[in-house]
Amino acid sequence: MTPKNELLFCALGGSGEIGMNVNLYGHAGKWLMVDCGITFADAAYPGIDVVLPDLAFIEERLDDLVGIVLTHGHEDHIGALPYLAEDLGVPLYATPFTAGLIRGKLEEEGIANRVKLRIVQPGKKIQVGPFGIDFVELSHSIPEPNALIIETPVGRVFHTGDWKLDPTPVIGKPSSPEQLSAIGDKGIDVLVCDSTNIFNAEASGSEASVRIGIAKAVASAKGRVLVTTFASNAARLHTLGEVARETGRKLCVTGRSLDRILKVARATGYLGDFPETVDPETAMRLPRNKVLIVATGGQGEPRAALARVADGSHTIKLEQGDAVIFSSKQIPGNEVAIGRIQNILAAKGVQMITERQAHVHVSGHPGRPELAQMYKWMRPKVLIPVHGEMRHMMEHARFGLSEGIPQAIVQGDGDIVRLLPGKAEKVGKAGVGRLVLDGDVILPADGSTINERRKLALNGQISVAVAIGRDGRMVGTPQVRVQGVPVEEDRAAFVEDAIDAAAEALKGGKRELDRRREDVRLAVRKIATRWTGKKPIVDVLVIQA
C-alpha cells in the first residue's frame, strides 16, 4: 500500500505489547518512522536477550522511507538502531541527549560513520520529506522526552511518545499547560497516545517527591545502602546524588549502562552538580554507614550489577544489616527474576524496600487524570492508543470515549489505519514479526534455530555414531552420547539399551544410507521415550568404513 492524498498509520511494534516501539506514518507516497526499539526476551527464547522488530514491510519500501525520528532514549524506542539503522539507510533525527545515547550505540557496533545522525534542538521544527515535525518537550523518566506534532496538508497528529505531567521535574523544563493548550487551539486531528498506566486512577506524581522518601529510607539505615533504579533515569540519579550529600554518604555508581548515562548526561549539560563518586573497591573500605551504592539490575537481569552483588560475584558485598532500595517499578513478566534476587538477598539478612513499603519511585507514564488533561488540551477527533498490551489499549480507548473524544481505534501491530481525511478506519494489514539477536547474528524469532533450541531445552539430545563396512554390516559398536535427557543414575543402563537399539536397527542388509540413518534415529528415540516419556532430539552420524 502506498499512501497518497491521505495520512496512514501503522505500528510494526509496540501496539499490543510493552516495548519494541516502531511506528510508521505514510503520506504523499512517503513513509516516516517514529522510534525503533527493542524488547527483552523471556524463557520462550532460550539463549536470547534482545528481541528486534521485523521491519520487512518498510524494507520493501526503502525508497519511500524518508527518515527515523526518535522521541527519547529508552531502549524500547532506540535499542534496535545499532542493528537495523544502517540497512534502512535514512537519517536519524534526535535531540542532543537521545542522540548522544544513539551515537554511543552506533560506535560500539562500528557503524557511526555509516549512519546519518542529525541533532534537533528541543522545541524545534524540522521538515522530513512531506512531514513537518515539531518536537514538544514533555516529562518522563529520562532527559529530553518529546512528543511530536506531525503535520501534513491533510491534518495534524500529536504523537505523545512516553510521557507524564510533572509540575516539578528534577531535570528539564517540559511544556507548560499554556503551551500544550495552544497546540490544541491550532487543531489536532489525531492523538496517538501512551497507554501504559491507563489502569492507574491517580496521577503518576512528581519526580521531586521521591527525594523525601529515599532520603528517609537511607537516613534510617545502619549499614550499606544499595539503590537500584533504571539507568536511564537521570533525574533519579540527580536525586540520589542529593540524598548522598544529605545523609553524609559517599556515592558509588556501578554498572556499564549507568556509566554511559552519566557520561552522556554530563556531555549534554545535565548532572553538572553530580557528586564525585568512589569506585567499588573504595566503597568497600568505607564504614558501612558511609556509603550509598547505585546499581543496575532492579528488573532481575541475570548479568546486571545487582544480580552479581546478590550471588557474591561482584566487588560490592552486602550482609546482614544492609539495605537494598528498589527505586523502580516491577515490569510485568519480571516478577520471578526479581523475586529470585530478593530471596537471595533476604537469606543474607539484607532488608529490602520497594515502592510498597516507602515512596521511593514514581512512574514515568500518565495515569487517568493526566490522560484526561491531555485530551482537554489537544481536543482530538480521533484517539489511537499505543504503547501497551491489548488490555491497556482497549481500556484506553474506552476511557478516551468516556472523556468526550469522538472516535477511538484500537489497532495492533501490522494494522494499517487511514487517519485522514474523513473518518479514521483500518484499511489494510502489514506483515509484522520478531527477530532475535543471537550472539552477533540476527535470526527469525520462530525460525529453525530457535525452534531447535526450544526442543533441546524441553527434551534433551542424543548423539549416535555408527560405522558401516562396504558389505553393509555394522563395524564395531555404536557410540551414544546423552545431553539433557533425564536418565541421571541410570545413564549407563540407558546408553546400553540405546546401543542395542541402534545395532538392531542396522541389521537387514544394504538399505539406502539415509533410510538406515532414519531407522537408527527412530529406534533410539523410541528407547528414550520408553525410559523417560520424552522425545529427545536424536542426531545420527553414519560413517562408511
Side-chain angles (χ1 to χ4, degrees), residues 459-472:
N459 295 299
Q461 186 261 354
I462 301 172
S463 298
V464 183
V466 295
I468 298 175
R470 292 184 180 181
D471 59 358

Side-chain angles (χ1 to χ4, degrees), residues 287-310:
R288 289 172 59 212
N289 65 345
K290 294 297 182 183
V291 63
L292 176 62
I293 303 150
V294 186
T296 55
Q299 298 304 310
E301 304 96 313
R303 289 194 287 274
L306 181 61
R308 292 186 287 120
V309 169

Side-chain angles (χ1 to χ4, degrees), residues 352-375:
M352 276 158 290
I353 301 165
T354 72
E355 59 178 343
R356 295 180 180 179
Q357 286 82 45
H359 185 56
V360 295
H361 178 65
V362 290
S363 175
H365 300 273
R368 292 168 91 98
E370 293 154 286
L371 289 166
Q373 183 60 68
M374 185 64 79
Y375 303 158

Side-chain angles (χ1 to χ4, degrees), residues 30-111:
K30 300 298 180 182
W31 292 94
L32 173 76
M33 184 180 292
V34 174
D35 294 329
C36 189
I38 60 170
T39 191
F40 294 102
D42 55 26
Y45 301 99
I48 302 297
D49 292 327
V50 173
V51 180
L52 309 169
D54 186 341
L55 303 183
F57 173 80
I58 197 64
E59 286 170 349
E60 294 167 2
R61 297 162 175 81
L62 284 185
D63 289 345
D64 298 326
L65 181 65
V66 292
I68 305 173
V69 179
L70 291 314
T71 59
H72 66 285
H74 276 144
E75 289 295 302
D76 59 332
H77 292 258
I78 67 169
L81 292 174
Y83 314 108
L84 304 178
E86 183 180 5
D87 289 339
L88 293 173
V90 294
L92 315 180
Y93 299 86
T95 52
F97 180 82
T98 304
L101 294 177
I102 293 169
R103 184 180 295 108
K105 291 177 175 293
L106 298 178
E107 287 172 352
E108 285 182 3
E109 288 297 309
I111 60 170

